[in-house]
Amino acid sequence: TNNRANLPTVVVAQLELRVARHMEVARQLVGEKQNSKALLVLKKKKLAERQLEELGALQINMETMVSQINVKHFLSWLACLY
């Protein structure tokens, strides 16, 4: 199997886990009255969420590029028939 094919899924899972963990830690810190540390953890959570969004946009861009390449190849093949 090709491990690279699973890479986006693994990265997404890791980022989602990181977001959940940051939220959990932030809640715990607020409960312990450590608001400044909680704010720092929430900023890290926001960064992980942004990375998830960027990864999603990158995946869409890649899928679009692959689709465009497939269409070009199909059109070239079709042109050879006539």
mmCIF file of all heavy atoms in Angstrom, residues 11-58:
data_model
loop_
_atom_site.group_PDB
_atom_site.id
_atom_site.type_symbol
_atom_site.label_atom_id
_atom_site.label_comp_id
_atom_site.label_asym_id
_atom_site.label_seq_id
_atom_site.Cartn_x
_atom_site.Cartn_y
_atom_site.Cartn_z
ATOM 1 N N VAL A 11 -3.195 13.265 8.566
ATOM 2 C CA VAL A 11 -2.940 14.642 9.004
ATOM 3 C C VAL A 11 -4.229 15.278 9.511
ATOM 4 O O VAL A 11 -4.234 15.942 10.554
ATOM 5 C CB VAL A 11 -2.314 15.474 7.864
ATOM 6 C CG1 VAL A 11 -2.235 16.939 8.240
ATOM 7 C CG2 VAL A 11 -0.935 14.937 7.524
ATOM 8 N N VAL A 12 -5.331 15.070 8.794
ATOM 9 C CA VAL A 12 -6.622 15.616 9.232
ATOM 10 C C VAL A 12 -6.988 15.052 10.601
ATOM 11 O O VAL A 12 -7.402 15.791 11.497
ATOM 12 C CB VAL A 12 -7.730 15.326 8.191
ATOM 13 C CG1 VAL A 12 -9.107 15.584 8.760
ATOM 14 C CG2 VAL A 12 -7.512 16.156 6.938
ATOM 15 N N ALA A 13 -6.823 13.754 10.763
ATOM 16 C CA ALA A 13 -7.148 13.123 12.051
ATOM 17 C C ALA A 13 -6.287 13.694 13.171
ATOM 18 O O ALA A 13 -6.780 13.961 14.272
ATOM 19 C CB ALA A 13 -6.968 11.612 11.954
ATOM 20 N N GLN A 14 -5.001 13.895 12.898
ATOM 21 C CA GLN A 14 -4.106 14.457 13.913
ATOM 22 C C GLN A 14 -4.509 15.877 14.273
ATOM 23 O O GLN A 14 -4.508 16.252 15.453
ATOM 24 C CB GLN A 14 -2.664 14.432 13.419
ATOM 25 C CG GLN A 14 -2.061 13.048 13.366
ATOM 26 C CD GLN A 14 -0.677 13.034 12.730
ATOM 27 O OE1 GLN A 14 -0.283 13.965 12.032
ATOM 28 N NE2 GLN A 14 0.056 11.966 12.957
ATOM 29 N N LEU A 15 -4.854 16.670 13.258
ATOM 30 C CA LEU A 15 -5.250 18.056 13.527
ATOM 31 C C LEU A 15 -6.571 18.107 14.295
ATOM 32 O O LEU A 15 -6.727 18.913 15.217
ATOM 33 C CB LEU A 15 -5.360 18.841 12.221
ATOM 34 C CG LEU A 15 -4.035 19.230 11.572
ATOM 35 C CD1 LEU A 15 -4.266 19.808 10.184
ATOM 36 C CD2 LEU A 15 -3.277 20.221 12.439
ATOM 37 N N GLU A 16 -7.513 17.250 13.939
ATOM 38 C CA GLU A 16 -8.791 17.211 14.661
ATOM 39 C C GLU A 16 -8.580 16.805 16.108
ATOM 40 O O GLU A 16 -9.210 17.359 17.017
ATOM 41 C CB GLU A 16 -9.767 16.265 13.968
ATOM 42 C CG GLU A 16 -10.293 16.817 12.663
ATOM 43 C CD GLU A 16 -11.133 15.825 11.875
ATOM 44 O OE1 GLU A 16 -11.057 14.603 12.156
ATOM 45 O OE2 GLU A 16 -11.858 16.281 10.970
ATOM 46 N N LEU A 17 -7.688 15.852 16.329
ATOM 47 C CA LEU A 17 -7.367 15.425 17.689
ATOM 48 C C LEU A 17 -6.729 16.570 18.474
ATOM 49 O O LEU A 17 -7.050 16.795 19.645
ATOM 50 C CB LEU A 17 -6.409 14.230 17.634
ATOM 51 C CG LEU A 17 -6.530 13.264 18.783
ATOM 52 C CD1 LEU A 17 -7.511 12.172 18.384
ATOM 53 C CD2 LEU A 17 -5.191 12.671 19.095
ATOM 54 N N ARG A 18 -5.831 17.309 17.802
ATOM 55 C CA ARG A 18 -5.160 18.443 18.431
ATOM 56 C C ARG A 18 -6.171 19.519 18.837
ATOM 57 O O ARG A 18 -6.101 20.064 19.940
ATOM 58 C CB ARG A 18 -4.117 19.026 17.468
ATOM 59 C CG ARG A 18 -3.197 20.015 18.112
ATOM 60 C CD ARG A 18 -2.148 20.509 17.149
ATOM 61 N NE ARG A 18 -1.359 19.394 16.615
ATOM 62 C CZ ARG A 18 -0.588 19.481 15.546
ATOM 63 N NH1 ARG A 18 -0.494 20.605 14.880
ATOM 64 N NH2 ARG A 18 0.102 18.443 15.135
ATOM 65 N N VAL A 19 -7.137 19.799 17.949
ATOM 66 C CA VAL A 19 -8.160 20.800 18.250
ATOM 67 C C VAL A 19 -8.954 20.372 19.487
ATOM 68 O O VAL A 19 -9.176 21.171 20.408
ATOM 69 C CB VAL A 19 -9.096 21.018 17.035
ATOM 70 C CG1 VAL A 19 -10.341 21.805 17.431
ATOM 71 C CG2 VAL A 19 -8.342 21.723 15.909
ATOM 72 N N ALA A 20 -9.381 19.124 19.509
ATOM 73 C CA ALA A 20 -10.155 18.617 20.648
ATOM 74 C C ALA A 20 -9.339 18.677 21.935
ATOM 75 O O ALA A 20 -9.857 19.070 22.996
ATOM 76 C CB ALA A 20 -10.611 17.189 20.365
ATOM 77 N N ARG A 21 -8.079 18.300 21.847
ATOM 78 C CA ARG A 21 -7.218 18.309 23.043
ATOM 79 C C ARG A 21 -6.988 19.736 23.555
ATOM 80 O O ARG A 21 -7.029 19.974 24.764
ATOM 81 C CB ARG A 21 -5.871 17.634 22.717
ATOM 82 C CG ARG A 21 -4.915 17.600 23.863
ATOM 83 C CD ARG A 21 -5.368 16.667 24.965
ATOM 84 N NE ARG A 21 -4.390 16.688 26.048
ATOM 85 C CZ ARG A 21 -4.707 16.747 27.315
ATOM 86 N NH1 ARG A 21 -5.961 16.738 27.691
ATOM 87 N NH2 ARG A 21 -3.770 16.785 28.236
ATOM 88 N N HIS A 22 -6.771 20.674 22.638
ATOM 89 C CA HIS A 22 -6.587 22.070 23.049
ATOM 90 C C HIS A 22 -7.833 22.578 23.769
ATOM 91 O O HIS A 22 -7.727 23.291 24.771
ATOM 92 C CB HIS A 22 -6.282 22.961 21.846
ATOM 93 C CG HIS A 22 -4.890 22.808 21.304
ATOM 94 N ND1 HIS A 22 -3.782 22.631 22.100
ATOM 95 C CD2 HIS A 22 -4.421 22.822 20.038
ATOM 96 C CE1 HIS A 22 -2.699 22.534 21.353
ATOM 97 N NE2 HIS A 22 -3.056 22.639 20.091
ATOM 98 N N MET A 23 -9.007 22.213 23.265
ATOM 99 C CA MET A 23 -10.244 22.659 23.902
ATOM 100 C C MET A 23 -10.355 22.078 25.309
ATOM 101 O O MET A 23 -10.722 22.780 26.258
ATOM 102 C CB MET A 23 -11.430 22.221 23.034
ATOM 103 C CG MET A 23 -12.702 22.905 23.376
ATOM 104 S SD MET A 23 -12.550 24.667 23.053
ATOM 105 C CE MET A 23 -13.768 25.278 24.167
ATOM 106 N N GLU A 24 -10.026 20.821 25.447
ATOM 107 C CA GLU A 24 -10.075 20.151 26.743
ATOM 108 C C GLU A 24 -9.116 20.812 27.741
ATOM 109 O O GLU A 24 -9.485 21.096 28.886
ATOM 110 C CB GLU A 24 -9.702 18.675 26.534
ATOM 111 C CG GLU A 24 -9.721 17.828 27.775
ATOM 112 C CD GLU A 24 -9.275 16.401 27.471
ATOM 113 O OE1 GLU A 24 -9.643 15.879 26.394
ATOM 114 O OE2 GLU A 24 -8.543 15.828 28.299
ATOM 115 N N VAL A 25 -7.901 21.083 27.294
ATOM 116 C CA VAL A 25 -6.894 21.703 28.167
ATOM 117 C C VAL A 25 -7.324 23.122 28.548
ATOM 118 O O VAL A 25 -7.175 23.529 29.702
ATOM 119 C CB VAL A 25 -5.508 21.698 27.491
ATOM 120 C CG1 VAL A 25 -4.509 22.551 28.252
ATOM 121 C CG2 VAL A 25 -4.988 20.269 27.354
ATOM 122 N N ALA A 26 -7.873 23.860 27.581
ATOM 123 C CA ALA A 26 -8.316 25.233 27.861
ATOM 124 C C ALA A 26 -9.409 25.238 28.937
ATOM 125 O O ALA A 26 -9.375 26.064 29.854
ATOM 126 C CB ALA A 26 -8.812 25.900 26.585
ATOM 127 N N ARG A 27 -10.354 24.316 28.812
ATOM 128 C CA ARG A 27 -11.424 24.229 29.828
ATOM 129 C C ARG A 27 -10.841 23.938 31.199
ATOM 130 O O ARG A 27 -11.262 24.511 32.204
ATOM 131 C CB ARG A 27 -12.426 23.144 29.438
ATOM 132 C CG ARG A 27 -13.395 23.551 28.382
ATOM 133 C CD ARG A 27 -14.526 22.522 28.250
ATOM 134 N NE ARG A 27 -15.404 22.912 27.155
ATOM 135 C CZ ARG A 27 -15.606 22.201 26.056
ATOM 136 N NH1 ARG A 27 -14.997 21.050 25.896
ATOM 137 N NH2 ARG A 27 -16.420 22.626 25.125
ATOM 138 N N GLN A 28 -9.884 23.025 31.241
ATOM 139 C CA GLN A 28 -9.254 22.660 32.508
ATOM 140 C C GLN A 28 -8.529 23.869 33.112
ATOM 141 O O GLN A 28 -8.639 24.137 34.311
ATOM 142 C CB GLN A 28 -8.272 21.516 32.280
ATOM 143 C CG GLN A 28 -7.558 21.057 33.530
ATOM 144 C CD GLN A 28 -6.554 19.944 33.235
ATOM 145 O OE1 GLN A 28 -6.462 19.461 32.115
ATOM 146 N NE2 GLN A 28 -5.797 19.557 34.244
ATOM 147 N N LEU A 29 -7.814 24.616 32.267
ATOM 148 C CA LEU A 29 -7.076 25.777 32.765
ATOM 149 C C LEU A 29 -8.006 26.873 33.271
ATOM 150 O O LEU A 29 -7.711 27.520 34.283
ATOM 151 C CB LEU A 29 -6.154 26.315 31.663
ATOM 152 C CG LEU A 29 -4.949 25.427 31.332
ATOM 153 C CD1 LEU A 29 -4.260 25.907 30.063
ATOM 154 C CD2 LEU A 29 -3.973 25.385 32.499
ATOM 155 N N VAL A 30 -9.119 27.072 32.581
ATOM 156 C CA VAL A 30 -10.095 28.068 33.051
ATOM 157 C C VAL A 30 -10.639 27.645 34.414
ATOM 158 O O VAL A 30 -10.797 28.468 35.320
ATOM 159 C CB VAL A 30 -11.240 28.259 32.020
ATOM 160 C CG1 VAL A 30 -12.396 29.040 32.631
ATOM 161 C CG2 VAL A 30 -10.701 28.965 30.781
ATOM 162 N N GLY A 31 -10.903 26.347 34.555
ATOM 163 C CA GLY A 31 -11.376 25.827 35.838
ATOM 164 C C GLY A 31 -10.370 26.035 36.952
ATOM 165 O O GLY A 31 -10.736 26.193 38.116
ATOM 166 N N GLU A 32 -9.095 26.064 36.587
ATOM 167 C CA GLU A 32 -8.024 26.285 37.561
ATOM 168 C C GLU A 32 -7.657 27.765 37.674
ATOM 169 O O GLU A 32 -6.642 28.108 38.286
ATOM 170 C CB GLU A 32 -6.790 25.469 37.155
ATOM 171 C CG GLU A 32 -7.013 23.980 37.188
ATOM 172 C CD GLU A 32 -5.854 23.192 36.582
ATOM 173 O OE1 GLU A 32 -4.859 23.805 36.151
ATOM 174 O OE2 GLU A 32 -5.968 21.956 36.534
ATOM 175 N N LYS A 33 -8.451 28.629 37.066
ATOM 176 C CA LYS A 33 -8.254 30.089 37.103
ATOM 177 C C LYS A 33 -6.937 30.525 36.445
ATOM 178 O O LYS A 33 -6.354 31.531 36.810
ATOM 179 C CB LYS A 33 -8.311 30.631 38.541
ATOM 180 C CG LYS A 33 -9.534 30.238 39.330
ATOM 181 C CD LYS A 33 -10.778 30.873 38.789
ATOM 182 C CE LYS A 33 -11.950 30.554 39.709
ATOM 183 N NZ LYS A 33 -13.200 30.528 39.031
ATOM 184 N N GLN A 34 -6.487 29.750 35.464
ATOM 185 C CA GLN A 34 -5.266 30.092 34.729
ATOM 186 C C GLN A 34 -5.668 30.593 33.339
ATOM 187 O O GLN A 34 -5.386 29.975 32.316
ATOM 188 C CB GLN A 34 -4.341 28.881 34.632
ATOM 189 C CG GLN A 34 -3.849 28.397 35.979
ATOM 190 C CD GLN A 34 -2.875 27.243 35.836
ATOM 191 O OE1 GLN A 34 -2.206 27.112 34.831
ATOM 192 N NE2 GLN A 34 -2.806 26.412 36.865
ATOM 193 N N ASN A 35 -6.336 31.739 33.362
ATOM 194 C CA ASN A 35 -6.934 32.262 32.129
ATOM 195 C C ASN A 35 -5.908 32.637 31.064
ATOM 196 O O ASN A 35 -6.161 32.462 29.875
ATOM 197 C CB ASN A 35 -7.826 33.461 32.456
ATOM 198 C CG ASN A 35 -9.029 33.057 33.276
ATOM 199 O OD1 ASN A 35 -9.412 31.900 33.285
ATOM 200 N ND2 ASN A 35 -9.613 34.005 33.981
ATOM 201 N N SER A 36 -4.762 33.142 31.454
ATOM 202 C CA SER A 36 -3.770 33.536 30.453
ATOM 203 C C SER A 36 -3.219 32.310 29.724
ATOM 204 O O SER A 36 -3.011 32.338 28.511
ATOM 205 C CB SER A 36 -2.636 34.345 31.081
ATOM 206 O OG SER A 36 -1.979 33.594 32.071
ATOM 207 N N LYS A 37 -3.019 31.221 30.457
ATOM 208 C CA LYS A 37 -2.569 29.982 29.818
ATOM 209 C C LYS A 37 -3.674 29.401 28.933
ATOM 210 O O LYS A 37 -3.413 28.885 27.853
ATOM 211 C CB LYS A 37 -2.146 28.955 30.869
ATOM 212 C CG LYS A 37 -0.835 29.287 31.539
ATOM 213 C CD LYS A 37 -0.429 28.191 32.505
ATOM 214 C CE LYS A 37 0.880 28.531 33.189
ATOM 215 N NZ LYS A 37 1.304 27.497 34.132
ATOM 216 N N ALA A 38 -4.908 29.514 29.408
ATOM 217 C CA ALA A 38 -6.042 29.020 28.621
ATOM 218 C C ALA A 38 -6.145 29.785 27.303
ATOM 219 O O ALA A 38 -6.406 29.193 26.250
ATOM 220 C CB ALA A 38 -7.341 29.154 29.418
ATOM 221 N N LEU A 39 -5.916 31.073 27.349
ATOM 222 C CA LEU A 39 -5.968 31.891 26.133
ATOM 223 C C LEU A 39 -4.888 31.457 25.143
ATOM 224 O O LEU A 39 -5.142 31.356 23.933
ATOM 225 C CB LEU A 39 -5.796 33.373 26.488
ATOM 226 C CG LEU A 39 -5.937 34.359 25.339
ATOM 227 C CD1 LEU A 39 -7.315 34.250 24.696
ATOM 228 C CD2 LEU A 39 -5.687 35.769 25.832
ATOM 229 N N LEU A 40 -3.702 31.165 25.639
ATOM 230 C CA LEU A 40 -2.621 30.693 24.780
ATOM 231 C C LEU A 40 -2.997 29.363 24.108
ATOM 232 O O LEU A 40 -2.787 29.177 22.907
ATOM 233 C CB LEU A 40 -1.334 30.524 25.593
ATOM 234 C CG LEU A 40 -0.123 30.010 24.818
ATOM 235 C CD1 LEU A 40 0.270 30.993 23.716
ATOM 236 C CD2 LEU A 40 1.032 29.785 25.767
ATOM 237 N N VAL A 41 -3.592 28.471 24.873
ATOM 238 C CA VAL A 41 -4.010 27.175 24.325
ATOM 239 C C VAL A 41 -5.110 27.374 23.275
ATOM 240 O O VAL A 41 -5.114 26.694 22.242
ATOM 241 C CB VAL A 41 -4.476 26.229 25.458
ATOM 242 C CG1 VAL A 41 -5.111 24.975 24.903
ATOM 243 C CG2 VAL A 41 -3.306 25.870 26.358
ATOM 244 N N LEU A 42 -6.012 28.314 23.516
ATOM 245 C CA LEU A 42 -7.071 28.585 22.539
ATOM 246 C C LEU A 42 -6.499 29.169 21.249
ATOM 247 O O LEU A 42 -7.014 28.912 20.157
ATOM 248 C CB LEU A 42 -8.127 29.520 23.135
ATOM 249 C CG LEU A 42 -9.017 28.881 24.200
ATOM 250 C CD1 LEU A 42 -9.934 29.933 24.828
ATOM 251 C CD2 LEU A 42 -9.837 27.739 23.610
ATOM 252 N N LYS A 43 -5.428 29.938 21.368
ATOM 253 C CA LYS A 43 -4.767 30.457 20.166
ATOM 254 C C LYS A 43 -4.147 29.308 19.370
ATOM 255 O O LYS A 43 -4.200 29.292 18.145
ATOM 256 C CB LYS A 43 -3.697 31.491 20.537
ATOM 257 C CG LYS A 43 -4.289 32.806 20.990
ATOM 258 C CD LYS A 43 -3.210 33.803 21.362
ATOM 259 C CE LYS A 43 -3.821 35.112 21.844
ATOM 260 N NZ LYS A 43 -2.791 36.097 22.202
ATOM 261 N N LYS A 44 -3.577 28.339 20.078
ATOM 262 C CA LYS A 44 -3.028 27.163 19.396
ATOM 263 C C LYS A 44 -4.138 26.360 18.726
ATOM 264 O O LYS A 44 -3.963 25.825 17.632
ATOM 265 C CB LYS A 44 -2.265 26.279 20.392
ATOM 266 C CG LYS A 44 -0.968 26.877 20.868
ATOM 267 C CD LYS A 44 -0.266 25.932 21.827
ATOM 268 C CE LYS A 44 1.038 26.502 22.327
ATOM 269 N NZ LYS A 44 1.725 25.570 23.239
ATOM 270 N N LYS A 45 -5.288 26.297 19.389
ATOM 271 C CA LYS A 45 -6.451 25.609 18.814
ATOM 272 C C LYS A 45 -6.876 26.298 17.526
ATOM 273 O O LYS A 45 -7.146 25.645 16.514
ATOM 274 C CB LYS A 45 -7.598 25.596 19.817
ATOM 275 C CG LYS A 45 -8.904 25.037 19.280
ATOM 276 C CD LYS A 45 -10.021 25.212 20.311
ATOM 277 C CE LYS A 45 -11.366 25.033 19.717
ATOM 278 N NZ LYS A 45 -11.914 26.227 19.094
ATOM 279 N N LYS A 46 -6.908 27.597 17.546
ATOM 280 C CA LYS A 46 -7.287 28.369 16.365
ATOM 281 C C LYS A 46 -6.306 28.112 15.216
ATOM 282 O O LYS A 46 -6.714 27.994 14.050
ATOM 283 C CB LYS A 46 -7.348 29.861 16.712
ATOM 284 C CG LYS A 46 -7.860 30.737 15.616
ATOM 285 C CD LYS A 46 -9.326 30.480 15.357
ATOM 286 C CE LYS A 46 -9.871 31.451 14.346
ATOM 287 N NZ LYS A 46 -11.251 31.188 14.039
ATOM 288 N N LEU A 47 -5.031 28.030 15.537
ATOM 289 C CA LEU A 47 -4.013 27.737 14.521
ATOM 290 C C LEU A 47 -4.267 26.366 13.893
ATOM 291 O O LEU A 47 -4.210 26.213 12.671
ATOM 292 C CB LEU A 47 -2.615 27.788 15.133
ATOM 293 C CG LEU A 47 -1.467 27.373 14.218
ATOM 294 C CD1 LEU A 47 -1.347 28.331 13.029
ATOM 295 C CD2 LEU A 47 -0.173 27.319 14.991
ATOM 296 N N ALA A 48 -4.547 25.371 14.712
ATOM 297 C CA ALA A 48 -4.821 24.020 14.201
ATOM 298 C C ALA A 48 -6.080 24.028 13.329
ATOM 299 O O ALA A 48 -6.124 23.350 12.298
ATOM 300 C CB ALA A 48 -4.971 23.039 15.355
ATOM 301 N N GLU A 49 -7.095 24.794 13.713
ATOM 302 C CA GLU A 49 -8.313 24.897 12.902
ATOM 303 C C GLU A 49 -8.004 25.536 11.551
ATOM 304 O O GLU A 49 -8.518 25.099 10.516
ATOM 305 C CB GLU A 49 -9.380 25.709 13.636
ATOM 306 C CG GLU A 49 -9.985 24.989 14.818
ATOM 307 C CD GLU A 49 -10.902 25.861 15.656
ATOM 308 O OE1 GLU A 49 -10.736 27.110 15.661
ATOM 309 O OE2 GLU A 49 -11.780 25.295 16.332
ATOM 310 N N ARG A 50 -7.161 26.559 11.562
ATOM 311 C CA ARG A 50 -6.755 27.211 10.313
ATOM 312 C C ARG A 50 -6.000 26.242 9.414
ATOM 313 O O ARG A 50 -6.189 26.221 8.196
ATOM 314 C CB ARG A 50 -5.898 28.441 10.619
ATOM 315 C CG ARG A 50 -6.438 29.699 9.955
ATOM 316 C CD ARG A 50 -5.599 30.923 10.232
ATOM 317 N NE ARG A 50 -5.922 31.454 11.548
ATOM 318 C CZ ARG A 50 -5.033 31.796 12.457
ATOM 319 N NH1 ARG A 50 -3.755 31.697 12.229
ATOM 320 N NH2 ARG A 50 -5.417 32.280 13.622
ATOM 321 N N GLN A 51 -5.134 25.438 10.017
ATOM 322 C CA GLN A 51 -4.387 24.446 9.254
ATOM 323 C C GLN A 51 -5.337 23.426 8.618
ATOM 324 O O GLN A 51 -5.129 23.011 7.479
ATOM 325 C CB GLN A 51 -3.366 23.745 10.144
ATOM 326 C CG GLN A 51 -2.208 24.625 10.535
ATOM 327 C CD GLN A 51 -1.293 23.974 11.558
ATOM 328 O OE1 GLN A 51 -1.716 23.131 12.351
ATOM 329 N NE2 GLN A 51 -0.032 24.363 11.538
ATOM 330 N N LEU A 52 -6.384 23.047 9.344
ATOM 331 C CA LEU A 52 -7.388 22.133 8.797
ATOM 332 C C LEU A 52 -8.081 22.750 7.583
ATOM 333 O O LEU A 52 -8.286 22.089 6.562
ATOM 334 C CB LEU A 52 -8.444 21.811 9.864
ATOM 335 C CG LEU A 52 -8.233 20.571 10.696
ATOM 336 C CD1 LEU A 52 -9.236 20.508 11.829
ATOM 337 C CD2 LEU A 52 -8.303 19.323 9.847
ATOM 338 N N GLU A 53 -8.446 24.023 7.701
ATOM 339 C CA GLU A 53 -9.092 24.722 6.591
ATOM 340 C C GLU A 53 -8.168 24.788 5.374
ATOM 341 O O GLU A 53 -8.589 24.550 4.244
ATOM 342 C CB GLU A 53 -9.504 26.131 7.008
ATOM 343 C CG GLU A 53 -10.638 26.173 8.008
ATOM 344 C CD GLU A 53 -10.891 27.583 8.559
ATOM 345 O OE1 GLU A 53 -10.297 28.547 8.051
ATOM 346 O OE2 GLU A 53 -11.676 27.688 9.510
ATOM 347 N N GLU A 54 -6.896 25.110 5.624
ATOM 348 C CA GLU A 54 -5.932 25.214 4.527
ATOM 349 C C GLU A 54 -5.706 23.860 3.865
ATOM 350 O O GLU A 54 -5.587 23.780 2.645
ATOM 351 C CB GLU A 54 -4.607 25.781 5.043
ATOM 352 C CG GLU A 54 -4.694 27.245 5.430
ATOM 353 C CD GLU A 54 -3.451 27.761 6.147
ATOM 354 O OE1 GLU A 54 -2.470 26.999 6.283
ATOM 355 O OE2 GLU A 54 -3.466 28.928 6.562
ATOM 356 N N LEU A 55 -5.674 22.812 4.658
ATOM 357 C CA LEU A 55 -5.511 21.473 4.106
ATOM 358 C C LEU A 55 -6.708 21.101 3.235
ATOM 359 O O LEU A 55 -6.544 20.518 2.154
ATOM 360 C CB LEU A 55 -5.331 20.455 5.229
ATOM 361 C CG LEU A 55 -4.994 19.033 4.834
ATOM 362 C CD1 LEU A 55 -3.689 18.989 4.041
ATOM 363 C CD2 LEU A 55 -4.890 18.151 6.061
ATOM 364 N N GLY A 56 -7.896 21.463 3.677
ATOM 365 C CA GLY A 56 -9.096 21.203 2.883
ATOM 366 C C GLY A 56 -9.059 21.951 1.558
ATOM 367 O O GLY A 56 -9.387 21.391 0.505
ATOM 368 N N ALA A 57 -8.647 23.218 1.602
ATOM 369 C CA ALA A 57 -8.550 24.012 0.373
ATOM 370 C C ALA A 57 -7.485 23.438 -0.557
ATOM 371 O O ALA A 57 -7.686 23.379 -1.780
ATOM 372 C CB ALA A 57 -8.228 25.467 0.712
ATOM 373 N N LEU A 58 -6.379 22.992 0.001
ATOM 374 C CA LEU A 58 -5.316 22.389 -0.801
ATOM 375 C C LEU A 58 -5.804 21.112 -1.479
ATOM 376 O O LEU A 58 -5.528 20.880 -2.660
ATOM 377 C CB LEU A 58 -4.102 22.089 0.077
ATOM 378 C CG LEU A 58 -2.894 21.483 -0.602
ATOM 379 C CD1 LEU A 58 -2.342 22.433 -1.669
ATOM 380 C CD2 LEU A 58 -1.825 21.164 0.412
#
